[in-house]
Amino acid sequence: MTKKPREKRREGKPEETGGLWITVMGQLLLGGAAAVLAAVLALLVCSLLISAGAVPERFMERAVLAACVLGALTGGLLAVRRIGRSTLLVGAGVGAILFLLLLLAGTLLFEEASISNGGGMMLLSCLCGGAMAGILGSRPKKKRKR
């Protein structure tokens, strides 16, 4: 008895749903950690430039938002390349993880962190940086040969 082509495709390596979920979440957390590292390094560079007087102090808030975008973009690209599917969701997920980690750090260090105190713009910056990573990191679909 011959098998249909659809059945052959399904016979391949069966993936466990739980194992796949854990792998994806691990890659998202790795991307989030890379995003935090990139954002902290970008903030370090910005603080050095402000301390040296090369950049006026009034640009500090914009520098923080740019560091959030850069961090989410970097971590999102790492996660998108490693996961390879649902790239926009993966990128936005890394941006959300970056925001939550920054919010956690702010709460632990300053005992008060509020979204109303500029946190909304940080959230948007993190999500936009992650979404850009999802768009830039997706591979073009291959054309079918007829």
Side-chain angles (χ1 to χ4, degrees):
M1 189 195 269
T2 60
K3 295 184 181 180
K4 296 177 184 177
R6 278 189 181 164
E7 290 175 4
K8 284 185 179 180
R9 276 188 250 147
R10 290 183 188 172
E11 274 185 12
K13 182 179 169 186
E15 294 183 9
E16 294 179 20
T17 306
L20 181 63
W21 177 254
I22 290 173
T23 303
V24 168
M25 291 306 291
Q27 295 302 323
L28 278 174
L29 289 175
L30 180 68
V36 168
L37 183 65
V40 167
L41 289 176
L43 287 172
L44 177 67
V45 169
C46 290
S47 67
L48 290 174
L49 289 173
I50 290 172
S51 295
V55 176
E57 195 173 328
R58 67 178 186 264
F59 291 130
M60 191 169 22
E61 186 176 337
R62 294 178 189 161
V64 169
L65 297 178
C68 288
V69 170
L70 183 68
L73 181 65
T74 304
L77 283 174
L78 175 73
V80 162
R81 292 291 176 163
R82 295 188 89 166
I83 294 174
R85 57 177 118 173
S86 300
T87 57
L88 191 60
L89 290 175
V90 169
V94 170
I97 289 172
L98 172 63
F99 175 73
L100 291 174
L101 289 173
L102 291 175
L103 189 65
L104 177 67
T107 303
L108 290 176
L109 294 175
F110 301 111
E111 297 176 3
E112 181 180 329
S114 127
I115 293 181
S116 64
N117 216 8
M121 288 301 291
M122 265 180 50
L123 174 62
L124 286 176
S125 298
C126 291
L127 289 177
C128 286
M132 283 191 319
I135 292 169
L136 294 175
S138 64
R139 295 185 178 109
K141 294 184 179 181
K142 295 180 181 177
K143 294 182 181 178
R144 287 186 175 178
K145 291 183 182 180
R146 293 182 182 193

